[in-house]
Amino acid sequence: MRTQAMAVLGLFVLAACPEKKPEGTPAPGQPAEAAPTPAPSSATDTIKFGEVGSLTGTEATFGKSTKDGIDLAVKELNEAGGIKGKKVEVVVYDDQSKPEEARTVVTRLITQDHVNVVLGEVASTNSLQMAPICQSNQVPMITPSSTNPKVTQQGDFIFRVCFIDPFQGQVMAKFARQNLKVNKVAVFKDQRSDYSIGLAEYFEREFKALGGEIVVEESYSKGDSDFKAQLTKIRAEKAEAIYVPGYYNDIGLIAKQSRQLGIKAPLLGGDGWESEKLFELGGSALDGCYYSNHYSTETPTPEIRRFIDHFKAAYGGTIPDSLAALGYDAAKVAADAMSRAKTLSGPDVRDAIAATKDFDGVTGRITIDKDRNAVKPAVILRIEGGKALYQTTIAP
Ligand code: PHE
């Protein structure tokens, strides 16, 4: 089992941290008694952060960015002496962007690797598969970025360091009504994503409450390649904006196809748009579109500035997206809780995470509320020329 975990570490973690020495067998020629065999070192010497991420598949940039953020946090933690005098080790598994796989690998993290905490997933549908398993094994789980409210409702061991979708939906509805002065909106959602279904509902509720009208609602399934039938129906209703709470992979194509059909209305979306790949896929079809997000690199608080500098230094100049920032924050919140926890048992770490108050994260000040969510502001970004430009911040 250990070999299997190390193989995964070798593949994903050591590759990113070339300076980290692999654990070797004792030097040849050492007498056996000179190396007294301690209890399995994995159980006592290190603290294990388990990570489940979409390192491949339709949402691959979500997993990759999150992993980079977590690795950077862990590198900093270890350089500062670790937690309670122990080094932190990350055991990461790829779920290939599939909910069933997320469930399988989180079980492995708990039963085989005996991790102290689980970090992940990004997509709410995947986190919803993992949460009941963490809950029933009393292993605390912190999702960096799943925003659907149901995730933390799975039990008192499940936390998040981001805001939730009732707020995120409200933010864009307000922005559309009050800033863009839009009256008629079409909604186009991914019917296989808990995130998309939830966010569409919260947006609609607020948009109507503010006097706006939802003129048409259509849906698609993640991974579809032709959206023209639904977009043609949307075009007929002459909406002034189209709310598309989906993931970047689909959004790029939806933007292109809507322009091909002559639709000029801007697309509006949520955090799921956040990816460098969005611009590759959507190109200029995305100009003038808006989405809500967790942070902007254009609003440099001291925490954001420091994070961007360190991240760029660690990853060849790459600018961290919000997934990286949230992954980093989740790992730091877990570490902070563990350093305060009475012991490293699941229930003690759980209590310490629940007591997190005014933690200065990259994505804002994090206080875990009674429902185990973080209450934080959202930013609105406008896309122009392949870049997401900061527009405004909306507080809860
Ligand atoms: N909030 C999305 C979800 O719950 C995931 C996500 C977060 C995607 C941040 C991109 C950026 O499914």
Side-chain angles (χ1 to χ4, degrees):
M1 284 174 214
R2 174 146 185 84
T3 330
Q4 191 173 8
M6 291 312 291
V8 170
L9 279 171
L11 190 56
F12 293 118
V13 176
L14 296 178
C17 311
E19 70 283 6
K20 187 173 167 189
K21 287 198 203 75
E23 289 175 24
T25 42
Q30 280 292 94
E33 56 276 20
T37 35
S41 64
S42 58
T44 53
D45 290 341
T46 61
I47 290 178
K48 285 188 176 182
F49 285 10
E51 178 185 350
V52 177
S54 52
L55 296 168
T56 59
T58 46
E59 292 120 43
T61 70
F62 289 170
K64 169 78 168 65
S65 291
T66 304
K67 178 182 177 306
D68 287 348
I70 291 175
D71 286 350
L72 180 61
V74 168
K75 182 168 163 274
E76 291 176 6
L77 286 166
N78 284 336
E79 282 168 3
I83 305 168
K84 294 193 193 301
K86 291 169 188 253
K87 291 280 184 220
V88 180
E89 172 186 353
V90 183
V91 186
V92 54
Y93 290 118
D94 176 16
D95 62 27
Q96 303 158 28
S97 306
K98 295 177 187 156
E100 331 73 71
E101 196 60 24
R103 195 184 176 87
T104 303
V105 297
V106 80
T107 306
R108 194 176 304 157
L109 281 176
I110 292 172
T111 60
Q112 297 186 6
D113 302 311
H114 306 291
V115 298
N116 298 90
V117 67
V118 169
L119 303 177
E121 228 260 14
V122 172
S124 290
T125 297
N126 300 353
S127 289
L128 279 166
Q129 288 295 314
M130 294 159 53
I133 296 171
C134 292
Q135 180 66 30
S136 62
N137 286 282
Q138 300 207 321
V139 174
M141 165 175 151
I142 305 177
T143 166
S145 41
S146 288
T147 45
N148 186 279
K150 285 183 291 185
V151 174
T152 45
Q153 288 164 9
Q154 301 305 307
D156 61 352
F157 278 72
I158 317 301
F159 299 88
R160 79 181 102 217
V161 294
C162 54
F163 53 64
I164 55 173
D165 286 335
F167 169 66
Q168 183 172 206
Q170 237 175 42
V171 160
M172 189 49 88
K174 266 194 194 147
F175 184 78
R177 275 303 278 158
Q178 294 166 0
N179 299 54
L180 303 178
K181 313 270 186 234
V182 165
N183 298 310
K184 294 179 171 189
V185 163
V187 173
F188 193 23
K189 65 184 175 193
D190 177 354
Q191 61 193 1
R192 284 173 53 198
S193 155
D194 294 277
Y195 159 75
S196 194
I197 294 166
L199 198 46
E201 179 191 325
Y202 305 123
F203 171 89
E204 287 181 22
R205 192 181 300 164
E206 180 73 7
F207 193 73
K208 287 191 233 164
L210 293 170
E213 191 189 343
I214 308 295
V215 288
V216 54
E217 208 194 75
E218 288 291 325
S219 43
Y220 65 92
S221 297
K222 131 174 160 173
D224 284 354
S225 54
D226 188 350
F227 302 91
K228 290 202 172 124
Q230 300 97 311
L231 289 170
T232 302
K233 289 189 197 155
I234 288 173
R235 184 179 61 185
E237 300 300 329
K238 302 199 170 26
E240 297 153 68
I242 309 171
Y243 189 57
V244 203
Y247 294 151
Y248 67 91
N249 211 32
D250 300 317
I251 300 300
L253 293 177
I254 290 171
K256 270 212 168 132
Q257 292 177 18
S258 64
R259 302 307 171 227
Q260 283 160 7
L261 288 173
I263 298 175
K264 299 222 167 51
L267 308 187
L268 312 176
D271 55 351
W273 286 28
E274 176 79 344
S275 171
E276 268 304 304
K277 280 267 187 280
L278 175 74
F279 308 113
E280 263 172 50
L281 293 166
S284 60
L286 289 160
D287 283 348
C289 296
Y290 296 85
Y291 69 101
S292 50
N293 200 6
H294 302 267
Y295 100 130
S296 164
T297 52
E298 287 187 302
T299 52
T301 59
E303 287 79 18
I304 292 180
R305 186 166 297 143
R306 196 195 56 83
F307 174 66
I308 295 175
D309 287 349
H310 289 199
F311 195 91
K312 284 169 80 180
Y315 301 107
T318 304
I319 297 183
D321 62 16
S322 70
L323 285 311
L326 288 166
Y328 180 91
D329 280 352
K332 286 285 176 95
V333 163
D336 171 69
M338 285 178 181
S339 67
R340 286 184 283 105
K342 272 191 286 191
T343 73
L344 290 171
S345 75
D348 282 350
V349 173
R350 190 224 81 88
D351 289 351
I353 299 172
T356 300
K357 197 169 178 294
D358 293 335
F359 181 90
D360 275 319
V362 172
T363 56
R365 189 157 285 184
I366 297 167
T367 295
I368 299 295
D369 71 8
K370 65 169 191 0
D371 300 317
R372 298 170 301 283
N373 302 319
V375 180
K376 291 151 82 190
V379 297
I380 303 267
L381 306 173
R382 175 187 164 90
I383 301 176
E384 218 53 82
K387 284 204 170 72
L389 308 173
Y390 174 78
Q391 293 295 297
T392 184
T393 302
I394 300 186

